[in-house]
Amino acid sequence: MKEKLEQIKAEAIAALNSVDLPADLENVRVRFLGKKGEMTAILKQMGSLSPQERPVIGQLANQIRSEIEKQISDTAARLEEKHLEERMKKEKLDVTIPGTPVAFGHKHPMSILLDEAKDFFIGMGFTIAEGPEVELSVYDFDKLNIPEGHTVREWQDTFYITEDEKIHLRCQTSPVQVRVMEKQKPPIRIISPGRVYRKDEVDATHSPMFHQIEGLVVDKGITMGDLKGTINALIRYIYGENSVTRFRPHHFPFTEPSCEVDVQCHVCGGKGCRVCKGEGWIEVLGAGMVHPRVLAGCGIDPNEYSGFAFGIGAERLTMRRFGITDMRLIFENDMRFLQQF
Ligand code: DAH
């Protein structure tokens, strides 16, 4: 029996040495150590041994069994390593192969201009405020001192959301002024860029959706001089040191006095041409000193504080900045146009 056990051991080792696949390894295990395997068969014959022989053979059988088990796990480790090596060879990466080129996009001309304007104002200590595009008429009209019956309130001009005219798509960014003043006490220095909506037909200079940049400064002793200084600095920042501005008296219900600001035409230098429609100047924003009634309506004492406000037409500013002559190009997203910036 002893010889038989030694023989099993030798055969098992030989079989394991020639194993190449995990499935073969399992077969070898079953053949030698399985329930119906060779070791089990031998151990079943233990009963026929003499009481002296039994513990000796038993001990030897255990020893051989554990030796075969060890060889099996060594073989498993060898197979695993071989498998890994083969995979590494097969899946070798060539890191020198050129990659697939990624097409880089870039900013839309409107975003370039809006970012420049934001940089300018943030540098002057302004923060950026936001307001809803679906606005309450109370904020877009009443609290801005725009009376009942004013033309901007008409259905031909404004996209009303409700029949009672209490909610509409804001037609200007000015309601953000009110929202800020109701929450924040002076000193206030904010800008609010965003979309506005008016019932205009699409043409080279009109769109039912466009962008404005609202600005508001409220503090003690703010004057028209502060307004002019700020606007002139902005225009020079965006159009260059030599740009020329003109402040023209105007009327807005929420400012007193009010003005409009023109920039001298960059094409003709003020003589009048096709781009400025013969005017020599291009209007870019409305502005003025915040009306005392608007301040008071927001809980700010107009005897203690004063302020200036402005609303910039962002498309106009962009068109002049990049020499774009048709506003439709800004919204059409034609790659042949956008790639030029
Ligand atoms: N909201 C005005 C418009 O859409 C522009 C404007 C004018 C804004 C004067 C202001 C301002 O803040 O003070 O035409």
Side-chain angles (χ1 to χ4, degrees):
M1 208 161 195
K2 201 172 156 201
E3 294 78 57
K4 184 74 184 142
L5 281 170
E6 291 292 353
Q7 193 195 333
I8 289 176
K9 178 179 155 189
E11 279 174 19
I13 289 173
L16 286 171
N17 279 342
S18 64
V19 156
D20 245 356
L21 299 169
D24 295 342
L25 179 62
E26 177 60 11
N27 288 341
V28 172
R29 193 192 64 77
V30 171
R31 179 178 149 203
F32 291 98
L33 301 183
K35 265 193 202 135
K36 291 176 189 160
E38 297 191 18
M39 277 302 277
T40 318
I42 291 286
L43 294 177
K44 273 185 187 150
Q45 293 164 25
M46 292 276 281
S48 64
L49 296 174
S50 67
Q52 292 91 337
E53 269 180 321
R54 227 177 277 159
V56 181
I57 296 296
Q59 198 188 357
L60 181 66
N62 279 338
Q63 193 187 322
I64 286 179
R65 187 186 174 84
S66 58
E67 215 158 298
I68 294 176
E69 275 167 357
K70 184 177 176 304
Q71 294 279 342
I72 288 176
S73 68
D74 285 355
T75 308
R78 171 171 67 77
L79 291 184
E80 173 73 12
E81 198 169 315
K82 196 176 131 213
H83 175 67
L84 197 69
E85 240 167 59
E86 277 166 9
R87 238 183 76 188
M88 299 245 276
K89 253 184 232 156
K90 236 192 282 164
E91 297 177 7
K92 200 150 73 174
L93 267 187
D94 183 352
V95 292
T96 65
I97 293 175
T100 317
V102 176
F104 280 101
H106 61 79
K107 283 196 229 172
H108 188 282
M110 281 294 291
S111 301
I112 298 175
L113 187 115
L114 285 172
D115 285 351
E116 280 178 8
K118 281 186 217 164
D119 281 348
F120 169 80
F121 283 112
I122 288 167
M124 301 261 285
F126 284 66
T127 54
I128 295 175
E130 280 185 74
E133 289 175 29
V134 177
E135 184 56 286
L136 299 173
S137 303
V138 172
Y139 285 112
D140 206 1
F141 299 142
D142 302 76
K143 292 187 182 229
L144 286 171
N145 195 35
I146 298 173
E148 295 279 345
H150 192 284
T151 50
V152 301
R153 290 183 177 245
E154 279 170 25
W155 282 75
Q156 295 105 284
D157 296 322
T158 299
F159 290 102
Y160 281 105
I161 304 270
T162 55
E163 283 285 335
D164 62 7
E165 302 185 2
K166 286 198 166 132
I167 303 173
H168 62 263
L169 293 179
R170 68 180 180 188
C171 56
Q172 50 188 355
T173 43
S174 304
V176 183
Q177 290 185 29
V178 179
R179 288 183 174 274
V180 169
M181 283 190 283
E182 281 187 347
K183 282 216 196 79
Q184 198 183 319
K185 292 302 134 212
I188 294 171
R189 240 182 289 172
I190 60 105
I191 57 159
S192 186
R195 280 190 266 268
V196 300
Y197 303 84
R198 291 181 196 176
K199 283 191 184 169
D200 283 328
E201 293 291 335
V202 174
D203 67 24
T205 51
H206 292 90
S207 161
M209 185 284 293
F210 59 101
H211 296 76
Q212 290 187 333
I213 305 170
E214 194 74 16
L216 174 70
V217 172
V218 184
D219 204 349
K220 287 184 177 151
I222 297 291
T223 70
M224 196 84 181
D226 299 309
L227 165 61
K228 287 187 76 172
T230 305
I231 296 300
N232 279 335
L234 168 73
I235 295 299
R236 279 192 216 113
Y237 184 78
I238 289 184
Y239 293 135
E241 277 305 314
N242 299 324
S243 40
V244 182
T245 54
R246 179 174 79 174
F247 289 70
R248 247 184 316 106
H250 199 76
H251 169 76
F252 294 105
F254 34 91
T255 43
E256 182 58 36
S258 306
C259 62
E260 277 191 332
V261 180
D262 305 328
V263 183
Q264 197 171 65
C265 179
H266 54 298
V267 176
C268 62
K271 287 191 202 74
C273 69
R274 206 174 47 86
V275 170
C276 58
K277 298 197 187 102
E279 299 274 322
W281 298 87
I282 297 167
E283 180 217 316
V284 289
L285 62 96
M289 300 306 291
V290 182
H291 199 293
R293 224 178 275 163
V294 174
L295 289 174
C298 297
I300 294 173
D301 183 357
N303 295 315
E304 195 179 346
Y305 294 102
S306 57
F308 69 80
F310 54 87
I312 304 171
E315 278 76 8
R316 286 231 183 118
L317 218 59
T318 305
M319 287 168 74
R320 187 190 179 275
R321 165 84 158 72
F322 295 109
I324 300 166
T325 51
D326 193 322
M327 197 193 281
R328 285 168 287 204
L329 290 166
I330 290 180
F331 301 116
E332 278 167 358
N333 285 335
D334 186 330
M335 291 296 280
R336 290 166 302 178
F337 168 74
L338 294 175
Q339 269 159 358
Q340 298 171 43
F341 300 95

